[in-house]
Amino acid sequence: RKPVPLFLGRLKREGNIDFVHITVQDVLNGALTDGGFNLLCIPGDGFASSFVSRLGSAGEQKIIHFVKSGGGFIGIGSGAYLGSNWGYRLIDVDIMDLQHWKRGKTDKCLIRWTAQGQKVARATNSEVNVRYNHGPLF
């Protein structure tokens, strides 16, 4: 399933980020390392769990290798769980209160890029407003 166009449009417009849709099979075939990508973005809204279940351990290892080799990772909503110690351990961060994941939503969640994040994402703006909908707390 492809991410919602509104999500991609907002990140393109507000963050000046170009996206290429890749499939599970693309990841398994090595697209992250062979395709010239510098950032992997996994959105939520049911997309992440479906994507991960189809990746299996081989796909997990490909993503971990991509990030350890300098690739960036953005997890949005449920996709953010993947980068944590609960998921692929891409960053050393624990999820707070996993049991109460249904914690609400807002259309104005401000994201501030770190200098490195802004560079990796090639974002021209240092901040972007995104919709928050039951994502993890770190």
Side-chain angles (χ1 to χ4, degrees):
R1 169 176 135 178
K2 288 187 179 181
V4 179
L6 179 61
F7 163 76
L8 296 178
R10 287 198 64 189
L11 285 178
K12 170 69 176 157
R13 190 173 57 253
E14 296 176 30
N16 194 32
I17 300 172
D18 290 321
F19 286 91
V20 175
H21 178 257
I22 61 172
T23 66
V24 168
Q25 197 58 52
D26 292 334
V27 172
L28 293 172
N29 290 340
L32 290 175
T33 53
D34 300 339
F37 295 107
N38 62 355
L39 178 68
L40 173 64
C41 179
I42 299 184
D45 199 23
F47 180 85
S49 59
S50 170
F51 190 72
V52 170
S53 67
R54 292 180 292 134
L55 279 171
S57 61
E60 176 181 348
Q61 292 307 310
K62 299 255 185 201
I63 290 173
I64 291 169
H65 175 74
F66 171 73
V67 172
K68 286 188 176 197
S69 299
F73 175 85
I74 296 176
I76 306 293
S78 60
Y81 287 92
L82 298 180
S84 74
N85 289 331
W86 177 86
Y88 293 168
R89 299 181 176 272
L90 302 176
I91 58 172
D92 186 20
V93 64
D94 291 313
I95 295 172
M96 296 172 27
D97 197 17
L98 184 60
Q99 295 77 15
H100 300 99
W101 62 270
K102 194 170 185 176
R103 55 183 58 91
K105 65 181 181 175
T106 179
D107 289 332
K108 295 252 182 182
C109 181
L110 181 65
I111 301 287
R112 288 192 181 109
W113 296 103
T114 63
Q116 182 65 25
Q118 191 171 357
K119 180 180 175 184
V120 168
R122 291 188 248 161
T124 55
N125 299 324
S126 62
E127 299 178 343
V128 61
N129 277 309
V130 297
R131 183 176 149 249
Y132 173 85
N133 192 11
H134 307 300
L137 298 176
F138 300 118

